[in-house]
Amino acid sequence: MHVFNYFKYACWGLLTLLITTNISSAQDLSALGLPALTTATGENGQTTYSLSLQILLLMTALTVLPSLVLGMTAFTRIIIVLSILRQALGTQQTPPNQVLIAIALFLSFYIMSPIFDVLYVETLTPYLDGNLSTEMAMSQGLSVLKEFMVSNTRVDTLNMFADLSDVGPFDDKQAIPISIVLPAFITSELKTAFEIGFLIFLPFLVIDMVIASILMSLGMMMLSPMLISLPFKLLLFVLVDGWSMTVGSLSATFLVE
């Protein structure tokens, strides 16, 4: 089923790419028997698309929206840290995956709220009022998101992808291509998330080792140390207000300008 969905999304994307790049005029579309998918160039040089083509582009954008949420926001780092925290606690499926995803999603909205406010005021509102073209709106919105991603990406990771692409150096953040920023941001987020997860895992690992040593000294080798250490780890996590500390520390690791 997943393979079928990926194939379907790929077909939608390929169809949209072919329409927007290779079919540039209404005459070409009419010749192909697609009168509903037309484009027209206005007097000011701006290109307008028919309603059918706009709906097609919108549906294609909706298919890649989950990937954008995962790859261009704070979601990746948060969900990885929360998953490692659950594994360190040893609570198996508690909290369940749906709860972790909800926490990561709404915490991402909280962290990204200054970015979303800028996008709403400077890009979305002028676009809805008709004062900004689609191309300009997309360009401005991408610039704001690129500023956030570059600010939270390690310099060495950016340099690595720039060297692989044989481009650079760059004058400023906006000069870095999005094709370099996206993989660099994801790679940097993975590294940062695992570093935070390592620090979270250590105190719970110490508790497991202490409980295992005590049980072995008492000759209770058949008793699972994980079963005994779980209440102590939960008690420690509750006493130090672990959820607030984890969420607050995660929020503080992001740079939002």
Side-chain angles (χ1 to χ4, degrees):
M1 182 62 67
H2 293 292
V3 175
F4 174 77
N5 289 334
Y6 291 145
F7 177 76
K8 178 179 67 174
Y9 297 155
C11 290
W12 272 94
L14 181 59
L15 177 61
T16 305
L17 182 63
L18 290 174
I19 291 174
T20 55
T21 55
N22 296 334
I23 306 177
S24 58
S25 66
Q27 291 78 10
D28 295 333
L29 289 168
S30 300
L32 290 176
L34 297 174
L37 304 179
T38 59
T39 61
T41 302
E43 297 179 356
N44 54 359
Q46 295 182 352
T47 302
T48 58
Y49 303 93
S50 64
L51 180 60
S52 300
L53 188 55
Q54 292 181 21
I55 294 176
L56 178 62
L57 294 174
L58 177 61
M59 295 301 296
T60 303
L62 290 177
T63 59
V64 300
L65 183 60
S67 300
L68 295 180
V69 173
L70 291 175
M72 302 178 68
T73 64
F75 183 87
T76 302
R77 184 188 305 185
I78 297 171
I79 192 63
I80 291 176
V81 171
L82 293 180
S83 299
I84 294 177
L85 173 61
R86 183 177 65 180
Q87 185 176 359
L89 286 171
T91 54
Q92 303 300 325
Q93 295 298 319
T94 303
N97 292 331
Q98 294 85 349
V99 175
L100 291 185
I101 293 175
I103 295 173
L105 187 61
F106 290 113
L107 187 57
S108 299
F109 286 151
Y110 168 76
I111 294 172
M112 300 287 295
S113 58
I115 306 296
F116 293 153
D117 290 340
V118 174
L119 289 175
Y120 178 78
V121 173
E122 298 183 0
T123 302
L124 183 59
T125 301
Y127 172 72
L128 295 178
D129 293 339
N131 300 326
L132 201 63
S133 63
T134 303
E135 292 80 4
M136 288 297 299
M138 293 181 62
S139 178
Q140 289 187 13
L142 188 61
S143 298
V144 175
L145 289 175
K146 185 191 296 185
E147 183 79 16
F148 168 79
M149 288 189 291
V150 174
S151 300
N152 291 276
T153 304
R154 300 169 185 267
V155 177
D156 56 344
T157 307
L158 275 173
N159 293 334
M160 179 190 70
F161 281 97
D163 293 339
L164 291 175
S165 301
D166 195 20
V167 294
F170 306 103
D171 297 331
D172 53 16
K173 296 179 181 179
Q174 295 300 329
I176 306 176
I178 192 64
S179 59
I180 293 178
V181 175
L182 278 176
F185 176 72
I186 289 292
T187 305
S188 178
E189 287 292 281
L190 290 174
K191 183 176 181 179
T192 303
F194 276 96
E195 288 179 350
I196 298 174
F198 170 76
L199 297 176
I200 292 177
F201 213 107
L202 283 180
F204 300 107
L205 180 62
V206 172
I207 294 177
D208 287 334
M209 294 177 64
V210 170
I211 296 298
S213 300
I214 294 175
L215 291 178
M216 186 168 292
S217 64
L218 295 176
M220 300 180 180
M221 292 176 292
M222 300 300 295
L223 185 61
S224 174
M226 296 293 295
L227 182 63
I228 304 301
S229 63
L230 179 58
F232 292 97
K233 290 191 287 187
L234 292 177
L235 178 62
L236 173 64
F237 194 69
V238 171
L239 289 177
V240 300
D241 197 8
W243 286 113
S244 297
M245 291 181 59
T246 303
V247 170
S249 301
L250 272 175
S251 301
T253 57
F254 289 94
L255 298 176
V256 181
E257 299 179 357

